[in-house]
Amino acid sequence: MLKVGVLGAGHLGKIHLRLLNQSEKYELVGFFDPNGENAEKVSKEFGYKKFDTIQELIAAVDVVDIVTPTLSHFDCAKEAISAGKHIFIEKPIANTIAEADEIILLAKQHNIKGQVGHVERFNPAFIATKSKIENPMFIETHRLAEFNPRGTDVPVVLDLMIHDIDVILSVVKAPVKAISASGVSVISETPDIANARIEFENGCVANLTASRISLKNMRKSRFFQRDAYISVDFLDKSCEVVKMKDAPETPGDFDIILQNAEGLKKQIYFENPEIEANNAILDELETFADAINNGTTPTVTLEDGTEALRVAYQIIECFKK
């Protein structure tokens, strides 16, 4: 079991603490939170050991789980890596690309592993369909959330859209060619609703919409590719796979057949991938433990997290234009 400590005991930090405490792959040593009042409260309520300084916590563990505000990600990561500790770091990886690049460099110098908390990669609906997403040519995503003051200190692109950016970059195996985007600030100082179009060098186009001022929550992605349409509902954890194949010479009574203008007939059929219920946050933490113990590559690498951040900032740059 790997000894792990958590930096940050806010809303998400408390979830990480609870799950790490349950995990059979980690031994939860304790946590550090700079807010003394909150640290005391969390320690008393849940019984986790409270450390007085970041340095004391880092010295006591093998893995540091960074669940602090984005602005402090770099400083926490640098401190942990310099002490030779593996890091799990919440998304976005850092506040700037320069910070993210330096985290990667430090990790290589100190030979440590790092993983970024892009949790949608572990969503059971995405896991069930990922192997069926092959060379998509058009992708459409909608990530809409009801207003919540938590997170409004950053643009909606870094708060919400970055989840979909990471998922798209994980399935489109081509460099980004061009980005255009627009965003509107409604209640915050930064955009609350945004739309982006990402064009890839292989011809794929992704259209992303994110809002944190919607009347209902939605987290849906649709992937269109040759002879298939795949829909993933990240919120309901459901999926739909619609495929086409050459129609049989004598279709059955219930077969759905389409015929184009040239007379080519295709049969539509549905696949229902089996979705295995999971706890995505626990899974991302435990697969990181496996990567450390087995010497394998983490599911969401520091480079993956940096690339998602890079695209997010390119989108934000479009707003300024």
Side-chain angles (χ1 to χ4, degrees), residues 60-93:
V61 300
D62 307 309
V63 181
V64 179
D65 181 10
I66 301 166
V67 202
T68 60
T70 306
L71 286 172
S72 61
H73 282 187
F74 173 71
D75 288 338
C76 294
K78 188 176 180 182
E79 190 99 42
I81 295 168
S82 300
K85 312 296 179 168
H86 303 291
I87 57 161
F88 182 96
I89 190 164
E90 255 315 314
K91 68 88 197 161
I93 180 173

PDB file of all heavy atoms in Angstrom, residues 60-93:
ATOM      1  N   ALA A  60       6.057  12.611   4.980  1.00  0.00           N
ATOM      2  CA  ALA A  60       5.478  11.398   5.583  1.00  0.00           C
ATOM      3  C   ALA A  60       4.839  10.441   4.576  1.00  0.00           C
ATOM      4  O   ALA A  60       4.327   9.392   4.958  1.00  0.00           O
ATOM      5  CB  ALA A  60       4.437  11.805   6.625  1.00  0.00           C
ATOM      6  N   VAL A  61       4.849  10.799   3.275  1.00  0.00           N
ATOM      7  CA  VAL A  61       4.090   9.998   2.293  1.00  0.00           C
ATOM      8  C   VAL A  61       4.925   9.593   1.080  1.00  0.00           C
ATOM      9  O   VAL A  61       6.038  10.081   0.878  1.00  0.00           O
ATOM     10  CB  VAL A  61       2.838  10.776   1.818  1.00  0.00           C
ATOM     11  CG1 VAL A  61       1.912  11.102   2.978  1.00  0.00           C
ATOM     12  CG2 VAL A  61       3.228  12.057   1.069  1.00  0.00           C
ATOM     13  N   ASP A  62       4.327   8.698   0.258  1.00  0.00           N
ATOM     14  CA  ASP A  62       4.913   8.319  -1.042  1.00  0.00           C
ATOM     15  C   ASP A  62       4.251   9.104  -2.167  1.00  0.00           C
ATOM     16  O   ASP A  62       4.861   9.366  -3.205  1.00  0.00           O
ATOM     17  CB  ASP A  62       4.674   6.823  -1.327  1.00  0.00           C
ATOM     18  CG  ASP A  62       5.143   5.921  -0.203  1.00  0.00           C
ATOM     19  OD1 ASP A  62       6.305   6.081   0.214  1.00  0.00           O
ATOM     20  OD2 ASP A  62       4.342   5.083   0.267  1.00  0.00           O
ATOM     21  N   VAL A  63       2.960   9.411  -1.975  1.00  0.00           N
ATOM     22  CA  VAL A  63       2.156  10.074  -3.012  1.00  0.00           C
ATOM     23  C   VAL A  63       1.479  11.298  -2.412  1.00  0.00           C
ATOM     24  O   VAL A  63       0.909  11.228  -1.320  1.00  0.00           O
ATOM     25  CB  VAL A  63       1.065   9.119  -3.570  1.00  0.00           C
ATOM     26  CG1 VAL A  63       0.251   9.801  -4.670  1.00  0.00           C
ATOM     27  CG2 VAL A  63       1.677   7.830  -4.082  1.00  0.00           C
ATOM     28  N   VAL A  64       1.531  12.409  -3.144  1.00  0.00           N
ATOM     29  CA  VAL A  64       0.853  13.631  -2.710  1.00  0.00           C
ATOM     30  C   VAL A  64      -0.330  13.882  -3.646  1.00  0.00           C
ATOM     31  O   VAL A  64      -0.164  13.957  -4.868  1.00  0.00           O
ATOM     32  CB  VAL A  64       1.813  14.846  -2.715  1.00  0.00           C
ATOM     33  CG1 VAL A  64       1.077  16.112  -2.279  1.00  0.00           C
ATOM     34  CG2 VAL A  64       3.010  14.583  -1.808  1.00  0.00           C
ATOM     35  N   ASP A  65      -1.514  13.991  -3.078  1.00  0.00           N
ATOM     36  CA  ASP A  65      -2.743  14.238  -3.828  1.00  0.00           C
ATOM     37  C   ASP A  65      -3.080  15.727  -3.685  1.00  0.00           C
ATOM     38  O   ASP A  65      -3.443  16.187  -2.602  1.00  0.00           O
ATOM     39  CB  ASP A  65      -3.864  13.355  -3.256  1.00  0.00           C
ATOM     40  CG  ASP A  65      -5.177  13.521  -3.997  1.00  0.00           C
ATOM     41  OD1 ASP A  65      -5.191  14.160  -5.061  1.00  0.00           O
ATOM     42  OD2 ASP A  65      -6.206  13.014  -3.492  1.00  0.00           O
ATOM     43  N   ILE A  66      -2.922  16.475  -4.778  1.00  0.00           N
ATOM     44  CA  ILE A  66      -3.077  17.934  -4.733  1.00  0.00           C
ATOM     45  C   ILE A  66      -4.495  18.327  -5.137  1.00  0.00           C
ATOM     46  O   ILE A  66      -4.876  18.230  -6.312  1.00  0.00           O
ATOM     47  CB  ILE A  66      -2.030  18.614  -5.644  1.00  0.00           C
ATOM     48  CG1 ILE A  66      -0.614  18.224  -5.188  1.00  0.00           C
ATOM     49  CG2 ILE A  66      -2.204  20.137  -5.647  1.00  0.00           C
ATOM     50  CD1 ILE A  66       0.484  18.554  -6.193  1.00  0.00           C
ATOM     51  N   VAL A  67      -5.285  18.748  -4.145  1.00  0.00           N
ATOM     52  CA  VAL A  67      -6.685  19.125  -4.381  1.00  0.00           C
ATOM     53  C   VAL A  67      -6.900  20.538  -3.840  1.00  0.00           C
ATOM     54  O   VAL A  67      -7.824  20.815  -3.082  1.00  0.00           O
ATOM     55  CB  VAL A  67      -7.661  18.118  -3.716  1.00  0.00           C
ATOM     56  CG1 VAL A  67      -9.033  18.188  -4.376  1.00  0.00           C
ATOM     57  CG2 VAL A  67      -7.143  16.686  -3.810  1.00  0.00           C
ATOM     58  N   THR A  68      -5.980  21.421  -4.224  1.00  0.00           N
ATOM     59  CA  THR A  68      -6.009  22.806  -3.765  1.00  0.00           C
ATOM     60  C   THR A  68      -6.530  23.696  -4.899  1.00  0.00           C
ATOM     61  O   THR A  68      -6.676  23.221  -6.032  1.00  0.00           O
ATOM     62  CB  THR A  68      -4.575  23.259  -3.398  1.00  0.00           C
ATOM     63  OG1 THR A  68      -3.755  23.139  -4.575  1.00  0.00           O
ATOM     64  CG2 THR A  68      -3.989  22.402  -2.286  1.00  0.00           C
ATOM     65  N   PRO A  69      -6.811  24.982  -4.639  1.00  0.00           N
ATOM     66  CA  PRO A  69      -7.191  25.875  -5.742  1.00  0.00           C
ATOM     67  C   PRO A  69      -6.114  25.901  -6.824  1.00  0.00           C
ATOM     68  O   PRO A  69      -4.922  25.757  -6.530  1.00  0.00           O
ATOM     69  CB  PRO A  69      -7.334  27.245  -5.063  1.00  0.00           C
ATOM     70  CG  PRO A  69      -7.641  26.918  -3.624  1.00  0.00           C
ATOM     71  CD  PRO A  69      -6.869  25.671  -3.327  1.00  0.00           C
ATOM     72  N   THR A  70      -6.532  26.078  -8.072  1.00  0.00           N
ATOM     73  CA  THR A  70      -5.615  26.013  -9.223  1.00  0.00           C
ATOM     74  C   THR A  70      -4.381  26.901  -9.059  1.00  0.00           C
ATOM     75  O   THR A  70      -3.281  26.516  -9.453  1.00  0.00           O
ATOM     76  CB  THR A  70      -6.368  26.411 -10.513  1.00  0.00           C
ATOM     77  OG1 THR A  70      -7.532  25.584 -10.624  1.00  0.00           O
ATOM     78  CG2 THR A  70      -5.521  26.224 -11.740  1.00  0.00           C
ATOM     79  N   LEU A  71      -4.556  28.076  -8.488  1.00  0.00           N
ATOM     80  CA  LEU A  71      -3.443  29.021  -8.344  1.00  0.00           C
ATOM     81  C   LEU A  71      -2.266  28.439  -7.574  1.00  0.00           C
ATOM     82  O   LEU A  71      -1.121  28.839  -7.777  1.00  0.00           O
ATOM     83  CB  LEU A  71      -3.918  30.312  -7.655  1.00  0.00           C
ATOM     84  CG  LEU A  71      -4.763  31.267  -8.505  1.00  0.00           C
ATOM     85  CD1 LEU A  71      -5.321  32.385  -7.649  1.00  0.00           C
ATOM     86  CD2 LEU A  71      -3.935  31.844  -9.659  1.00  0.00           C
ATOM     87  N   SER A  72      -2.544  27.485  -6.683  1.00  0.00           N
ATOM     88  CA  SER A  72      -1.459  26.925  -5.861  1.00  0.00           C
ATOM     89  C   SER A  72      -0.954  25.567  -6.363  1.00  0.00           C
ATOM     90  O   SER A  72      -0.052  24.983  -5.764  1.00  0.00           O
ATOM     91  CB  SER A  72      -1.930  26.783  -4.405  1.00  0.00           C
ATOM     92  OG  SER A  72      -3.027  25.896  -4.334  1.00  0.00           O
ATOM     93  N   HIS A  73      -1.520  25.052  -7.459  1.00  0.00           N
ATOM     94  CA  HIS A  73      -1.110  23.735  -7.969  1.00  0.00           C
ATOM     95  C   HIS A  73       0.396  23.654  -8.214  1.00  0.00           C
ATOM     96  O   HIS A  73       1.043  22.681  -7.843  1.00  0.00           O
ATOM     97  CB  HIS A  73      -1.856  23.401  -9.272  1.00  0.00           C
ATOM     98  CG  HIS A  73      -3.262  22.932  -9.052  1.00  0.00           C
ATOM     99  ND1 HIS A  73      -4.060  22.445 -10.067  1.00  0.00           N
ATOM    100  CD2 HIS A  73      -4.007  22.880  -7.933  1.00  0.00           C
ATOM    101  CE1 HIS A  73      -5.239  22.122  -9.570  1.00  0.00           C
ATOM    102  NE2 HIS A  73      -5.237  22.382  -8.288  1.00  0.00           N
ATOM    103  N   PHE A  74       0.930  24.689  -8.863  1.00  0.00           N
ATOM    104  CA  PHE A  74       2.351  24.644  -9.236  1.00  0.00           C
ATOM    105  C   PHE A  74       3.252  24.586  -8.009  1.00  0.00           C
ATOM    106  O   PHE A  74       4.158  23.749  -7.930  1.00  0.00           O
ATOM    107  CB  PHE A  74       2.711  25.852 -10.107  1.00  0.00           C
ATOM    108  CG  PHE A  74       4.179  25.952 -10.390  1.00  0.00           C
ATOM    109  CD1 PHE A  74       4.805  25.043 -11.236  1.00  0.00           C
ATOM    110  CD2 PHE A  74       4.955  26.937  -9.794  1.00  0.00           C
ATOM    111  CE1 PHE A  74       6.170  25.124 -11.490  1.00  0.00           C
ATOM    112  CE2 PHE A  74       6.316  27.029 -10.045  1.00  0.00           C
ATOM    113  CZ  PHE A  74       6.921  26.117 -10.892  1.00  0.00           C
ATOM    114  N   ASP A  75       3.006  25.470  -7.048  1.00  0.00           N
ATOM    115  CA  ASP A  75       3.857  25.501  -5.849  1.00  0.00           C
ATOM    116  C   ASP A  75       3.798  24.183  -5.084  1.00  0.00           C
ATOM    117  O   ASP A  75       4.822  23.668  -4.623  1.00  0.00           O
ATOM    118  CB  ASP A  75       3.433  26.661  -4.928  1.00  0.00           C
ATOM    119  CG  ASP A  75       3.821  28.018  -5.502  1.00  0.00           C
ATOM    120  OD1 ASP A  75       4.743  28.060  -6.340  1.00  0.00           O
ATOM    121  OD2 ASP A  75       3.189  29.025  -5.134  1.00  0.00           O
ATOM    122  N   CYS A  76       2.594  23.628  -4.976  1.00  0.00           N
ATOM    123  CA  CYS A  76       2.431  22.344  -4.262  1.00  0.00           C
ATOM    124  C   CYS A  76       3.135  21.220  -5.016  1.00  0.00           C
ATOM    125  O   CYS A  76       3.830  20.385  -4.412  1.00  0.00           O
ATOM    126  CB  CYS A  76       0.947  22.003  -4.112  1.00  0.00           C
ATOM    127  SG  CYS A  76       0.028  23.126  -3.037  1.00  0.00           S
ATOM    128  N   ALA A  77       2.957  21.198  -6.333  1.00  0.00           N
ATOM    129  CA  ALA A  77       3.579  20.146  -7.153  1.00  0.00           C
ATOM    130  C   ALA A  77       5.098  20.232  -7.086  1.00  0.00           C
ATOM    131  O   ALA A  77       5.788  19.216  -6.931  1.00  0.00           O
ATOM    132  CB  ALA A  77       3.103  20.265  -8.602  1.00  0.00           C
ATOM    133  N   LYS A  78       5.632  21.460  -7.172  1.00  0.00           N
ATOM    134  CA  LYS A  78       7.079  21.660  -7.144  1.00  0.00           C
ATOM    135  C   LYS A  78       7.666  21.163  -5.820  1.00  0.00           C
ATOM    136  O   LYS A  78       8.692  20.475  -5.793  1.00  0.00           O
ATOM    137  CB  LYS A  78       7.383  23.152  -7.339  1.00  0.00           C
ATOM    138  CG  LYS A  78       8.853  23.466  -7.523  1.00  0.00           C
ATOM    139  CD  LYS A  78       9.061  24.946  -7.801  1.00  0.00           C
ATOM    140  CE  LYS A  78      10.532  25.259  -7.981  1.00  0.00           C
ATOM    141  NZ  LYS A  78      10.748  26.706  -8.210  1.00  0.00           N
ATOM    142  N   GLU A  79       6.978  21.480  -4.741  1.00  0.00           N
ATOM    143  CA  GLU A  79       7.427  21.069  -3.404  1.00  0.00           C
ATOM    144  C   GLU A  79       7.442  19.538  -3.286  1.00  0.00           C
ATOM    145  O   GLU A  79       8.400  18.938  -2.789  1.00  0.00           O
ATOM    146  CB  GLU A  79       6.473  21.668  -2.363  1.00  0.00           C
ATOM    147  CG  GLU A  79       6.919  21.533  -0.922  1.00  0.00           C
ATOM    148  CD  GLU A  79       7.575  22.783  -0.374  1.00  0.00           C
ATOM    149  OE1 GLU A  79       7.093  23.896  -0.631  1.00  0.00           O
ATOM    150  OE2 GLU A  79       8.578  22.619   0.330  1.00  0.00           O
ATOM    151  N   ALA A  80       6.384  18.906  -3.769  1.00  0.00           N
ATOM    152  CA  ALA A  80       6.268  17.440  -3.674  1.00  0.00           C
ATOM    153  C   ALA A  80       7.272  16.733  -4.569  1.00  0.00           C
ATOM    154  O   ALA A  80       7.956  15.787  -4.145  1.00  0.00           O
ATOM    155  CB  ALA A  80       4.847  17.011  -4.024  1.00  0.00           C
ATOM    156  N   ILE A  81       7.378  17.196  -5.829  1.00  0.00           N
ATOM    157  CA  ILE A  81       8.294  16.554  -6.783  1.00  0.00           C
ATOM    158  C   ILE A  81       9.742  16.696  -6.316  1.00  0.00           C
ATOM    159  O   ILE A  81      10.531  15.746  -6.392  1.00  0.00           O
ATOM    160  CB  ILE A  81       8.125  17.161  -8.197  1.00  0.00           C
ATOM    161  CG1 ILE A  81       6.731  16.846  -8.751  1.00  0.00           C
ATOM    162  CG2 ILE A  81       9.188  16.617  -9.148  1.00  0.00           C
ATOM    163  CD1 ILE A  81       6.371  17.641  -9.998  1.00  0.00           C
ATOM    164  N   SER A  82      10.086  17.884  -5.824  1.00  0.00           N
ATOM    165  CA  SER A  82      11.461  18.130  -5.357  1.00  0.00           C
ATOM    166  C   SER A  82      11.839  17.204  -4.203  1.00  0.00           C
ATOM    167  O   SER A  82      13.010  16.900  -3.991  1.00  0.00           O
ATOM    168  CB  SER A  82      11.623  19.592  -4.929  1.00  0.00           C
ATOM    169  OG  SER A  82      11.359  20.446  -6.027  1.00  0.00           O
ATOM    170  N   ALA A  83      10.797  16.736  -3.466  1.00  0.00           N
ATOM    171  CA  ALA A  83      11.045  15.789  -2.368  1.00  0.00           C
ATOM    172  C   ALA A  83      10.981  14.344  -2.861  1.00  0.00           C
ATOM    173  O   ALA A  83      11.038  13.401  -2.061  1.00  0.00           O
ATOM    174  CB  ALA A  83      10.017  16.020  -1.255  1.00  0.00           C
ATOM    175  N   GLY A  84      10.838  14.171  -4.191  1.00  0.00           N
ATOM    176  CA  GLY A  84      10.825  12.821  -4.772  1.00  0.00           C
ATOM    177  C   GLY A  84       9.521  12.072  -4.605  1.00  0.00           C
ATOM    178  O   GLY A  84       9.499  10.841  -4.634  1.00  0.00           O
ATOM    179  N   LYS A  85       8.409  12.800  -4.461  1.00  0.00           N
ATOM    180  CA  LYS A  85       7.106  12.149  -4.261  1.00  0.00           C
ATOM    181  C   LYS A  85       6.281  12.188  -5.543  1.00  0.00           C
ATOM    182  O   LYS A  85       6.269  13.168  -6.280  1.00  0.00           O
ATOM    183  CB  LYS A  85       6.309  12.851  -3.146  1.00  0.00           C
ATOM    184  CG  LYS A  85       7.125  13.102  -1.867  1.00  0.00           C
ATOM    185  CD  LYS A  85       7.564  11.812  -1.188  1.00  0.00           C
ATOM    186  CE  LYS A  85       8.390  12.135   0.055  1.00  0.00           C
ATOM    187  NZ  LYS A  85       8.627  10.994   0.909  1.00  0.00           N
ATOM    188  N   HIS A  86       5.554  11.094  -5.793  1.00  0.00           N
ATOM    189  CA  HIS A  86       4.636  11.040  -6.938  1.00  0.00           C
ATOM    190  C   HIS A  86       3.469  11.988  -6.669  1.00  0.00           C
ATOM    191  O   HIS A  86       3.070  12.180  -5.512  1.00  0.00           O
ATOM    192  CB  HIS A  86       4.115   9.617  -7.143  1.00  0.00           C
ATOM    193  CG  HIS A  86       5.211   8.609  -7.347  1.00  0.00           C
ATOM    194  ND1 HIS A  86       6.002   8.587  -8.476  1.00  0.00           N
ATOM    195  CD2 HIS A  86       5.660   7.592  -6.556  1.00  0.00           C
ATOM    196  CE1 HIS A  86       6.888   7.607  -8.382  1.00  0.00           C
ATOM    197  NE2 HIS A  86       6.704   6.989  -7.229  1.00  0.00           N
ATOM    198  N   ILE A  87       2.911  12.563  -7.750  1.00  0.00           N
ATOM    199  CA  ILE A  87       1.818  13.522  -7.546  1.00  0.00           C
ATOM    200  C   ILE A  87       0.576  13.183  -8.364  1.00  0.00           C
ATOM    201  O   ILE A  87       0.656  12.874  -9.549  1.00  0.00           O
ATOM    202  CB  ILE A  87       2.246  14.975  -7.876  1.00  0.00           C
ATOM    203  CG1 ILE A  87       2.769  15.092  -9.319  1.00  0.00           C
ATOM    204  CG2 ILE A  87       3.276  15.488  -6.877  1.00  0.00           C
ATOM    205  CD1 ILE A  87       2.772  16.517  -9.868  1.00  0.00           C
ATOM    206  N   PHE A  88      -0.563  13.238  -7.693  1.00  0.00           N
ATOM    207  CA  PHE A  88      -1.855  13.254  -8.381  1.00  0.00           C
ATOM    208  C   PHE A  88      -2.337  14.692  -8.238  1.00  0.00           C
ATOM    209  O   PHE A  88      -2.369  15.233  -7.124  1.00  0.00           O
ATOM    210  CB  PHE A  88      -2.855  12.295  -7.714  1.00  0.00           C
ATOM    211  CG  PHE A  88      -4.183  12.248  -8.442  1.00  0.00           C
ATOM    212  CD1 PHE A  88      -4.432  11.261  -9.373  1.00  0.00           C
ATOM    213  CD2 PHE A  88      -5.150  13.211  -8.214  1.00  0.00           C
ATOM    214  CE1 PHE A  88      -5.632  11.239 -10.080  1.00  0.00           C
ATOM    215  CE2 PHE A  88      -6.351  13.201  -8.897  1.00  0.00           C
ATOM    216  CZ  PHE A  88      -6.596  12.209  -9.835  1.00  0.00           C
ATOM    217  N   ILE A  89      -2.676  15.331  -9.353  1.00  0.00           N
ATOM    218  CA  ILE A  89      -2.990  16.757  -9.309  1.00  0.00           C
ATOM    219  C   ILE A  89      -4.335  17.028  -9.991  1.00  0.00           C
ATOM    220  O   ILE A  89      -4.571  16.548 -11.094  1.00  0.00           O
ATOM    221  CB  ILE A  89      -1.832  17.553  -9.964  1.00  0.00           C
ATOM    222  CG1 ILE A  89      -1.943  19.041  -9.747  1.00  0.00           C
ATOM    223  CG2 ILE A  89      -1.670  17.241 -11.425  1.00  0.00           C
ATOM    224  CD1 ILE A  89      -0.631  19.772 -10.040  1.00  0.00           C
ATOM    225  N   GLU A  90      -5.216  17.699  -9.304  1.00  0.00           N
ATOM    226  CA  GLU A  90      -6.546  17.966  -9.857  1.00  0.00           C
ATOM    227  C   GLU A  90      -6.444  18.821 -11.115  1.00  0.00           C
ATOM    228  O   GLU A  90      -5.491  19.555 -11.309  1.00  0.00           O
ATOM    229  CB  GLU A  90      -7.434  18.652  -8.808  1.00  0.00           C
ATOM    230  CG  GLU A  90      -8.482  17.735  -8.200  1.00  0.00           C
ATOM    231  CD  GLU A  90      -9.226  16.874  -9.212  1.00  0.00           C
ATOM    232  OE1 GLU A  90      -9.662  17.389 -10.269  1.00  0.00           O
ATOM    233  OE2 GLU A  90      -9.381  15.667  -8.961  1.00  0.00           O
ATOM    234  N   LYS A  91      -7.481  18.747 -11.939  1.00  0.00           N
ATOM    235  CA  LYS A  91      -7.501  19.577 -13.152  1.00  0.00           C
ATOM    236  C   LYS A  91      -7.974  20.984 -12.797  1.00  0.00           C
ATOM    237  O   LYS A  91      -8.707  21.145 -11.829  1.00  0.00           O
ATOM    238  CB  LYS A  91      -8.378  18.926 -14.239  1.00  0.00           C
ATOM    239  CG  LYS A  91      -9.889  18.893 -13.918  1.00  0.00           C
ATOM    240  CD  LYS A  91     -10.611  20.149 -14.371  1.00  0.00           C
ATOM    241  CE  LYS A  91     -11.950  20.277 -13.702  1.00  0.00           C
ATOM    242  NZ  LYS A  91     -12.496  21.641 -13.732  1.00  0.00           N
ATOM    243  N   PRO A  92      -7.544  22.014 -13.548  1.00  0.00           N
ATOM    244  CA  PRO A  92      -6.482  21.944 -14.553  1.00  0.00           C
ATOM    245  C   PRO A  92      -5.127  21.768 -13.887  1.00  0.00           C
ATOM    246  O   PRO A  92      -4.957  22.154 -12.738  1.00  0.00           O
ATOM    247  CB  PRO A  92      -6.595  23.304 -15.263  1.00  0.00           C
ATOM    248  CG  PRO A  92      -7.220  24.212 -14.260  1.00  0.00           C
ATOM    249  CD  PRO A  92      -8.115  23.362 -13.419  1.00  0.00           C
ATOM    250  N   ILE A  93      -4.180  21.197 -14.615  1.00  0.00           N
ATOM    251  CA  ILE A  93      -2.878  20.853 -14.035  1.00  0.00           C
ATOM    252  C   ILE A  93      -2.211  22.048 -13.351  1.00  0.00           C
ATOM    253  O   ILE A  93      -1.590  21.892 -12.302  1.00  0.00           O
ATOM    254  CB  ILE A  93      -1.947  20.244 -15.121  1.00  0.00           C
ATOM    255  CG1 ILE A  93      -0.583  19.890 -14.524  1.00  0.00           C
ATOM    256  CG2 ILE A  93      -1.807  21.150 -16.328  1.00  0.00           C
ATOM    257  CD1 ILE A  93       0.336  19.126 -15.469  1.00  0.00           C
TER     258      ILE A  93
END
